[in-house]
Amino acid sequence: MAKLTKEEVKHVAHLARLAITEEEAEKFAEQLGKITDFAEQLNELDTTNVEPTSHVLPLVNVLREDVAGNGLPHEQMMLNVKEQEAGQVKVPSILD
C-alpha cells in the first residue's frame, strides 16, 4: 500500500474540519503510514477456511424491554429549566 502523503492528510483533516499545522501533517502522515503497513500484514494470513464474521463473540441483547413509564411531573421538570416560554423549554436556535 502506498504511503499517505502530507497533502492527503491535510485534505482529510480539512474534510473533518480539523486545523493542523505542517508539522502535524507530516507527523500524522508518518504515523498513519505505520498503521496501514501494520494492517497490510493481515493480507499475508491464510484465511481460506475462516468464515467471515462481524464480531468475534456472539452478540446478545442485554437491553431491558422498552416499556413506557411515568416521567416527572411537568412542573417539577420545569424547575430545572434555564429558560422557558409558554410552558416549553426554550433552547437556542441552531439554524441560520
Side-chain angles (χ1 to χ4, degrees), residues 19-76:
I20 61 173
T21 64
E22 289 290 324
E23 294 79 23
E24 288 173 326
E26 193 170 315
K27 176 183 171 184
F28 293 148
E30 181 183 334
Q31 290 176 343
L32 290 168
K34 289 179 182 179
I35 292 170
T36 54
D37 288 346
F38 183 73
E40 192 67 31
Q41 290 178 12
L42 296 175
N43 290 333
E44 299 172 11
L45 297 174
D46 180 19
T47 58
T48 50
N49 294 322
V50 178
E51 288 199 33
T53 59
S54 61
H55 295 82
V56 280
L57 301 174
L59 295 178
V60 178
N61 187 357
V62 295
L63 302 176
R64 65 170 169 77
E65 187 177 338
D66 191 13
V67 178
N70 294 332
L72 289 174
H74 185 264
E75 295 78 24
Q76 186 179 356

